[in-house]
């Protein structure tokens, strides 16, 4: 069994009705508008926003971190676009890629308010899972969501993630430590 694989970094992934692409500086305006318009929807589930969260300079810093993660193989961030008109819908990222004997990563995602409950997030997560298992050769992908986030729990279960337990005060979200339910999908699990 290989514990490390040299992988050509994919910049774009296609799925039914969507395209996932590595974020670029050209995405800033659309990203800032969508994030700003979706703040009340996403904020309860994310780390506290900084004072300059939507500024161009903060976006540039984000892109620099993304580039470091991609180059080192520690993370693979993707923006999600609707294929037919290239509209930015949200993001789906593989984070904290761990190699060696673990071969795992964490998944995170968000969808803009105008596009919730239209199947885009489910399609993006499914495509990222195929990338994680088929391209990166990972064994396990983990997800965490707050117990009251019914939409995210439903999404994860619909894809085949298995509930593994509750982690107390697991992540600092919106400025407070919150319990999170932990889910995982293995490369040997059925993909729904």
């Amino acid at each position: 069994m290989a514990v490390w694989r040299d992988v050509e970094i994919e910049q774009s992934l296609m799925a039914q009705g969507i395209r996932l692409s590595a974020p670029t500086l050209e995405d800033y305006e659309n990203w800032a508008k969508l994030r700003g318009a979706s703040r009340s929807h996403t904020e309860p589930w994310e780390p506290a926003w900084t004072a300059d969260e939507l500024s161009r300079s903060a976006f540039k810093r984000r892109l620099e971190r993304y580039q470091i993660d991609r180059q080192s193989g520690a993370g693979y961030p993707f923006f999600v676009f609707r294929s037919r008109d290239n509209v930015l819908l949200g993001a789906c990222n593989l984070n904290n890629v761990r190699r060696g004997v673990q071969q795992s990563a964490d998944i995170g995602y968000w969808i803009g308010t105008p596009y919730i409950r239209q199947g885009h997030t489910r399609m993006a997560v499914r495509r990222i899972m195929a990338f994680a298992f088929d391209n990166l050769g990972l064994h396990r992908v983990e997800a965490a969501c707050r117990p009251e986030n019914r939409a995210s729990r439903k999404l994860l279960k619909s894809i085949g993630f298995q509930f593994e337990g509750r982690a107390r005060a697991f992540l600092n979200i919106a400025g407070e430590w919150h319990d999170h339910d932990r889910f995982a999908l293995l490369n040997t699990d059925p993909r729904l």
Side-chain angles (χ1 to χ4, degrees), residues 68-181:
I68 290 167
D69 286 350
R70 279 182 164 277
Q71 288 176 340
S72 69
Y76 298 90
F78 291 95
F79 280 178
V80 181
F81 296 90
R82 193 166 50 205
S83 297
R84 73 174 187 260
D85 56 9
N86 206 36
V87 168
L88 177 64
L89 306 172
C92 192
N93 306 320
L94 276 180
N95 304 305
N96 304 314
V97 175
R98 299 169 296 277
R99 292 296 188 171
V101 297
Q102 198 167 28
Q103 298 294 317
S104 67
D106 302 325
I107 191 168
Y109 46 86
W110 65 269
I111 192 78
T113 303
Y115 312 111
I116 59 174
R117 291 176 184 60
Q118 296 178 24
H120 303 300
T121 310
R122 185 175 193 275
M123 187 58 61
V125 172
R126 288 180 70 207
R127 182 61 183 95
I128 291 292
M129 297 311 300
F131 174 71
F133 294 143
D134 301 339
N135 295 79
L136 299 180
L138 297 179
H139 171 68
R140 172 186 180 90
V141 175
E142 300 174 359
C145 67
R146 290 178 51 187
E148 61 272 25
N149 189 342
R150 291 184 181 145
S152 197
R153 293 173 58 88
K154 182 178 177 182
L155 170 77
L156 292 169
K157 289 179 180 180
S158 77
I159 293 169
F161 277 80
Q162 300 296 309
F163 175 73
E164 293 191 330
R166 183 158 295 160
R168 296 176 305 125
F170 183 63
L171 295 174
N172 192 303
I173 301 298
E176 297 180 18
W177 290 99
H178 290 275
D179 295 352
H180 279 69
D181 286 347

Side-chain angles (χ1 to χ4, degrees), residues 28 31 50 52-65:
Y28 168 71
W31 173 85
T50 62
D52 70 340
E53 186 76 21
L54 299 179
S55 72
R56 184 176 288 277
S57 60
F59 188 76
K60 285 181 181 178
R61 288 191 303 273
R62 182 182 300 264
L63 290 179
E64 289 168 3
R65 189 184 72 242

